[in-house]
Amino acid sequence: QVQLVESGGGLVQPGGSLRLSCAASGFTFSGYAMRWYRQAPGKERELVAGISSSGGVTTYADSVKGRFRISRDDAKNTVYLQMNSLKSEDTAVYYCNAYRGWDSRDYWGQGTQVTVSS
C-alpha cells in the first residue's frame, strides 16, 4: 500500500522557519523524483520544489528560490522541505508528490497546512 505522509506544518510568524517532512512507503522511493506542491485558498496547486531520484538535481519556483531547500534521505524514504524567511504568501496546504518519469506514475500525500501569520 502506497503512502506519503507529510508532517511539520503549523503556524509560524513571518520571517520564521519550518521543516516539512514526507515519509514514503509502499514503493521504491529511490526510483522516484520527489516534489513539493502547495495550494493556497482560491488558487491553483503550484510546484514549489523538486528533487531528482538521484538527488543530484533540484528545482525551485522563483517565489521560493533562496529561501526553501529540498532534500531527500533514501535510507529513511523521506523527503524534506526546509522553509526559511517565511512570508504570509507562503500560507498554503503543502503536498508531497512522488513521480516516475518513464511511465508517468505518481503518488500524492494528503497535505499539511502551513500558515504564516503574526
Side-chain angles (χ1 to χ4, degrees), residues 90-106:
D90 296 317
T91 295
V93 177
Y94 284 70
Y95 297 91
C96 176
N97 169 259
Y99 177 73
R100 189 167 67 182
W102 67 266
D103 62 354
S104 298
R105 179 166 292 187
D106 73 341

Side-chain angles (χ1 to χ4, degrees), residues 37-66:
Y37 286 78
R38 69 185 180 188
Q39 188 166 20
K43 295 188 176 181
E44 293 189 355
R45 191 172 296 190
E46 64 169 342
L47 177 63
V48 175
I51 187 166
S52 63
S53 57
S54 69
V57 179
T58 57
T59 57
Y60 298 92
D62 287 343
S63 59
V64 307
K65 278 181 182 175

Side-chain angles (χ1 to χ4, degrees), residues 13 42 80:
Q13 292 187 341
Y80 304 97

